[in-house]
Amino acid sequence: MRITNNMMINNMNRNLNRNLMNMDQRQNQIATGKRIHRPSDDPIGTTRIMQLKSHTRQLDQNHSAAEDALSWMNTTESVANQYVDALQRSRELTVQAANGSLTQSETKKIQQEISEIKEHIIGLGNTSHGGKHIFSGKEIDKHLLNDDGSYNDAVHQKLLEDSGLIDDQIKYAIGMNETIPINLTGLEMFEDQGALTEWSETMSLPEELGEGNASTVELMGMTLNIEVTEANFIDGEGNTLQDDAGNEIRYKGGSFVDEDGEDFTPIVNGEEISDTSDLSEDAEQTPVSFTSTLGYRSLDEDGEEQYTVFDIPDLDLEDLSKGETFGAMEDIQGIIQLVTNPAPSEMSEEDAEEHNDRLQDMNQAFIQQQMLKANPGAEEDINPENIENFLNGNENSFLYEGKRIYRLENFNFETTGVSSDNLQENKETGYQKKIAFSASPKKPGVMQMLDRVEKNLLEGNQEALSEDLDDFDRFLDVALTARSTLGARVNRGTLVRDRIETDTINFREQLSNVEDVDMAETITKLMNEENVYRASLSVGARIVQPTLIDFLR
C-alpha cells in the first residue's frame, strides 16, 4: 500500500481535531461543573438526571406547600391559644363575681372586662392569614362573625351545608396522594358540635302526586310537610269545576282522574267529557304545585299532645324554568324565618298580636321537645306554666338536666336543597333529591354564653353566674379539643416537612453523583488530554515539514 504525503496530513488533522475535542470536553466539564451537556454524552445518565430533577422539583413544591400549611396552622394555633386564655380569664372573673363578696362597682368593672373579652374573641374569630379568613371554611374571602358577635349568614350556612354534604376543610397536597387539612372552622372552635347534630333533619321531595305521597320531616316539635298537588280546573270566578255527581274535575297524564288518581270520565250537563276542550270556555287548568304546611307539636294543660298546623302558600311548579319558584329557597325559608321570630314592626297591631301568640305556642313546643331530648320520658315532669313564665321573662335560655334549653328566637330555621335548579332536576328525576330542614344558632355558643354572663353580672345574679361556670368548662373543653387536633396536624406537618427536606438532600446527592464532575479527576484528565494534544502537534510538525520545495534547494 502506497502511503502518500496527503494521507499522512489528513490523518494528522483528524487526530489533532479528535484530541482538541477531547480537551474541549474536559474544559467544558471543569468550567460548568457538569459531566453531561448533551444526551449523547451519556444517554442512560441523561434519563436518570431527568428523573431525579423531576422528583426534586416535586419535593420542592411539596416543601413549599408544607411550609405554607405550617404557616397557616401556626397562625391558627396562636389564635387558639389566645382564645383559650380569653376563656380562662373570663371564667376566673365569673368565679370572682359569683362568690357574692364584690361590691357593685367591682362587679361593674368585671362586666366591662367581659365585654372587652367578647370584642377580643370576635376579632379572633375574624382573623385572616394572608388576606384569607382562617375560620370561614372555604369562604375565605368572608368574615365569620358580625360586629355584634352573630354569625355572618353567608359563611355560617355554607359551613352547616358543608358539614353534611361537602368537605369544608382546606387541604394542601404535601406528597404523592398525601394531603393535610390546615384549617379549623368556626363551628369547631366556637360551637358545641355535640349540640348541633340534633338540629338537622333531611327529607326527600314527594315522588308522586297526592296527599298520601306527601313528604314530612320533623325537627324539635316542628313539622314541615310538602305535598305535590294535582292540577284541577277552575271557572272564571275561581271555583273548582265539578261534574254532575259533584266530583272535582282533575287532569293528570293526559286524562281525567278522580280524587284517588284513577281514570274516570266526568259527565257535565248530562254529556261525557273526553277532552279538556269540551269544558266551558272560561275553564282554566291550575298548575301542579307544592302545597306546604308547617306545624308544631306541644303539650296542652293536661299534658296531652296537641298538633297545630298553618299553611305555607302553594308554590307553582310550572314556573320553575323562569327561576321564580322558591326564589332561591326564600319562599319556604322566608316564611319559616318569619313565624319563628317576633312580629316585624311593619305588621299591623292585630296581626302582630296573633303572630306573637302563635310564636309563644311554638316556643312552648320547641322548649318541651328540647327538654324531652335532655330527659326522655319526662312528659309528666314538664310544667307548661313554668315554661310560660320563662317565656314571659327576659332570659334567652335555662339549664335543664345539665343541658341548656333555648328559645326559638336564638335560632335560624332554614331549608337547604330547595332551589329552582334543584327542583327542576327533581322534576325530571322523580323528586329524589334531599331537603334539609335545620335550626342553626344565630350566634356561636360561646358568644351566647358571654352575653348571658354579662347580663347576669349587670343584674347581680350570683346563682346564674355559678351555673354559667359549667358552660365555661364545656366551651373550654371544645377549645382544647380543637387546639389538640390542630396541634396534632402541626406535628404531622413538621414531620412531613422534615422528611421532605431529608428526601430532597438524598435526591440532590444522587443527582450530583450522576451529573456533577469530580474536579480532581477531571483536571487530571484535562492535563493528560493537553499533553496528548501537544505531542500530536509536535509529531505533526515533523510529518508536514519535508516538502518538494525542500528538495529543490
Side-chain angles (χ1 to χ4, degrees), residues 69-103:
L70 284 172
S71 177
W72 180 296
M73 289 189 289
N74 286 333
T75 299
T76 308
E77 190 172 34
S78 174
V79 171
N81 291 336
Q82 294 178 58
Y83 173 57
V84 169
D85 291 343
L87 282 182
Q88 289 175 335
R89 175 59 180 164
S90 299
R91 190 183 189 285
E92 291 171 4
L93 293 171
T94 305
V95 170
Q96 292 178 29
N99 63 22
S101 62
L102 300 181
T103 65

Side-chain angles (χ1 to χ4, degrees), residues 182-212:
I182 66 168
N183 68 317
L184 293 173
T185 68
L187 300 184
E188 293 175 278
M189 183 63 74
F190 306 113
E191 202 66 77
D192 184 359
Q193 292 282 77
L196 280 181
T197 57
E198 302 175 357
W199 303 97
S200 181
E201 296 290 345
T202 58
M203 65 184 292
S204 296
L205 288 169
E207 298 181 42
E208 299 181 12
L209 303 179
E211 182 178 355

Side-chain angles (χ1 to χ4, degrees), residues 20 45 47 94 120 125 144 205 341 377 385 432 439 508 515 548 551:
L20 192 60
T47 302
T94 305
H120 176 57
L144 175 70
L205 288 169
N341 284 281
E385 185 177 347
Q432 280 297 292
R508 285 181 176 162
E515 185 181 37
L548 182 60
F551 293 100

Side-chain angles (χ1 to χ4, degrees), residues 139-158:
E139 301 295 304
I140 54 177
D141 58 333
K142 299 180 180 69
H143 58 272
L144 175 70
L145 301 176
N146 298 319
D147 292 340
D148 63 352
S150 62
Y151 281 115
N152 177 358
D153 286 341
V155 175
H156 189 216
Q157 281 310 303
K158 189 66 177 174

Side-chain angles (χ1 to χ4, degrees), residues 508-526:
R508 285 181 176 162
E509 184 178 349
Q510 292 184 50
L511 180 62
S512 177
N513 291 337
V514 177
E515 185 181 37
D516 296 343
V517 297
D518 184 331
M519 281 296 181
E521 180 182 0
T522 306
I523 290 174
T524 301
K525 288 182 178 180
L526 175 62

Side-chain angles (χ1 to χ4, degrees), residues 67-276:
E67 289 284 9
D68 290 344
L70 284 172
S71 177
W72 180 296
M73 289 189 289
N74 286 333
T75 299
T76 308
E77 190 172 34
S78 174
V79 171
N81 291 336
Q82 294 178 58
Y83 173 57
V84 169
D85 291 343
L87 282 182
Q88 289 175 335
R89 175 59 180 164
S90 299
R91 190 183 189 285
E92 291 171 4
L93 293 171
T94 305
V95 170
Q96 292 178 29
N99 63 22
S101 62
L102 300 181
T103 65
Q104 185 176 357
S105 174
E106 290 171 330
T107 303
K108 177 67 175 176
K109 290 177 183 178
I110 288 178
Q111 178 267 322
Q112 290 173 343
E113 185 171 351
I114 291 289
S115 180
E116 291 301 321
I117 289 174
K118 275 173 53 182
E119 294 299 320
H120 176 57
I121 291 176
I122 291 172
L124 293 177
N126 291 331
T127 301
S128 61
H129 175 80
K132 302 173 181 178
H133 292 280
I134 62 177
F135 293 117
S136 297
K138 292 181 179 176
E139 301 295 304
I140 54 177
D141 58 333
K142 299 180 180 69
H143 58 272
L144 175 70
L145 301 176
N146 298 319
D147 292 340
D148 63 352
S150 62
Y151 281 115
N152 177 358
D153 286 341
V155 175
H156 189 216
Q157 281 310 303
K158 189 66 177 174
L159 291 178
L160 289 175
E161 291 178 24
D162 288 354
S163 64
L165 302 176
I166 307 170
D167 189 353
D168 54 29
Q169 290 182 331
I170 299 173
K171 296 182 179 180
Y172 274 29
I174 55 174
M176 189 68 69
N177 299 321
E178 183 178 8
T179 60
I180 184 171
I182 66 168
N183 68 317
L184 293 173
T185 68
L187 300 184
E188 293 175 278
M189 183 63 74
F190 306 113
E191 202 66 77
D192 184 359
Q193 292 282 77
L196 280 181
T197 57
E198 302 175 357
W199 303 97
S200 181
E201 296 290 345
T202 58
M203 65 184 292
S204 296
L205 288 169
E207 298 181 42
E208 299 181 12
L209 303 179
E211 182 178 355
N213 298 308
S215 293
T216 303
V217 61
E218 184 170 338
L219 177 67
M220 300 303 292
M222 297 178 63
T223 303
L224 177 65
N225 185 82
I226 297 181
E227 172 191 344
V228 182
T229 60
E230 301 158 304
N232 58 12
F233 289 89
I234 56 176
D235 59 22
E237 298 179 358
N239 300 314
T240 302
L241 291 182
Q242 298 180 340
D243 66 2
D244 293 345
N247 299 312
E248 290 186 357
I249 300 179
R250 303 172 183 268
Y251 198 71
K252 175 184 175 182
S255 62
F256 292 106
V257 294
D258 59 19
E259 294 181 359
D260 297 325
E262 301 294 333
D263 291 348
F264 90 115
T265 302
I267 298 176
V268 179
N269 298 327
E271 296 184 4
E272 291 187 354
I273 304 297
S274 58
D275 190 80
T276 57

Side-chain angles (χ1 to χ4, degrees), residues 482-525:
R483 191 172 68 173
S484 64
T485 299
L486 183 65
R489 293 176 186 172
V490 170
N491 290 339
R492 179 190 167 203
T494 303
L495 290 173
V496 170
R497 183 195 60 189
D498 293 344
R499 186 195 70 205
I500 291 172
E501 291 174 352
T502 301
D503 290 345
T504 301
I505 293 172
N506 180 39
F507 277 114
R508 285 181 176 162
E509 184 178 349
Q510 292 184 50
L511 180 62
S512 177
N513 291 337
V514 177
E515 185 181 37
D516 296 343
V517 297
D518 184 331
M519 281 296 181
E521 180 182 0
T522 306
I523 290 174
T524 301
K525 288 182 178 180

